[in-house]
Amino acid sequence: GSETYHAVVDRDGLIEVESLIRASKLCSIDTESEDKDPRQGTLLGVSFSVKEGEAWFVPLINSDLKGLNKNDVLRALRRIVNSDVDFIGHNIKYDCLLLRRSGIPIKSVYFDTMLAAYDCHGDWPFFNLQYVTKRLLGKQIESYSDLMDDGSSFLDVPFREMVNHGCQDADMTFRLYRVLLAQL
C-alpha cells in the first residue's frame, strides 16, 4: 500500500509529531509492550495516527533514540495525551493501563474499536485487531505473535519491524473507527 510509517527517534521528530497530534481533534493510539498483561508489561513504544495511511512510532528504548532519552520521550507523551485530543484505540483499556503505570494518563479516551466491533458484530468469533481489520477493511495484518519466535519478546524484533507493526495497528484502528462509527 501507500502507507507512510515513521519512526520518531530524535528531538525534531518528537517536536513534529507532538505538534501534529495536538493540532488534531482525533488520534488513534497503540502501545507496545513485551507482556500481554498491562499490569506488569513494560512500555516499549507508542504509535499514533491522525489520518489514514500515516502513523508514527515513538520508541521508549534508549538504544533506539538519538540525542534523546526515555525521560524526554515520556515528557512529550504526557503533554500529548494530556491535550484536548480525543484518543481512540483497539481495546484501549489495555493501552490506558499500560500508559497510566508509566505516569502517562490519557485525558480523553473517546472510542474503542474493539467494543464497537462487538456492539455491531456480536456473533463474530474474534474481536482482535487482525480479525476485525480483515472483516471490515479486507486487509491482512500481522499479529504481535506473528512477529515472534517461541520464547522471544518484542525486544528481539528488528526495530523497523517494531515500527511497522505499531504504526500499522494505529493506522488500522484509525480506519476502523470511521467504518464502525458509520455502522453504530
Side-chain angles (χ1 to χ4, degrees):
S2 58
E3 288 88 12
T4 316
Y5 293 161
H6 313 272
V8 179
V9 295
D10 59 22
R11 201 167 297 281
D12 288 347
L14 198 56
I15 290 166
E16 184 190 343
V17 78
E18 182 180 344
S19 59
L20 182 91
I21 295 167
R22 293 180 67 173
S24 305
K25 288 182 170 50
L26 196 65
C27 180
S28 66
I29 190 168
D30 180 66
T31 54
E32 300 304 337
S33 164
E34 83 311 15
D35 200 304
K36 286 193 161 68
D37 185 346
R39 291 164 305 185
Q40 49 200 29
T42 303
L43 181 64
L44 302 176
V46 185
S47 301
F48 299 99
S49 178
V50 295
K51 73 174 214 229
E52 244 181 65
E54 193 162 22
W56 286 261
F57 177 75
V58 184
L60 279 139
I61 301 155
N62 281 321
S63 58
D64 294 327
L65 300 166
K66 297 174 176 63
L68 281 177
N69 63 41
K70 184 180 173 176
N71 286 331
D72 299 323
V73 175
L74 287 169
R75 276 194 295 275
L77 291 173
R78 276 187 206 108
R79 290 191 301 268
I80 289 169
V81 301
N82 194 38
S83 64
D84 292 324
V85 179
D86 288 329
F87 285 93
I88 55 182
H90 195 82
N91 188 18
I92 199 168
K93 184 180 81 175
Y94 175 92
D95 306 291
C96 285
L97 282 171
L98 193 60
L99 288 164
R100 194 168 64 221
R101 278 191 44 243
S102 298
I104 312 169
I106 300 180
K107 183 170 140 187
S108 176
V109 174
Y110 180 67
F111 195 91
D112 188 326
T113 52
M114 187 177 83
L115 296 178
Y118 182 79
D119 280 349
C120 295
H121 307 282
D123 56 336
W124 284 2
F126 307 107
F127 294 94
N128 61 38
L129 186 60
Q130 292 64 42
Y131 186 83
V132 176
T133 298
K134 183 87 181 107
R135 289 289 301 258
L136 294 179
L137 303 174
K139 286 187 181 294
Q140 191 78 49
I141 62 170
E142 280 195 327
S143 73
Y144 180 84
S145 53
D146 293 336
L147 297 177
M148 308 306 147
D149 304 318
D150 289 339
S152 72
S153 87
F154 207 65
L155 288 169
D156 303 316
V157 174
F159 183 66
R160 191 67 231 177
E161 278 186 46
M162 195 189 290
V163 172
N164 287 338
H165 174 72
C167 285
Q168 171 188 263
D169 286 1
D171 179 18
M172 294 306 143
T173 299
F174 195 83
R175 296 177 195 212
L176 285 171
Y177 162 73
R178 302 236 182 274
V179 173
L180 288 162
L181 190 64
Q183 291 183 353
L184 285 169

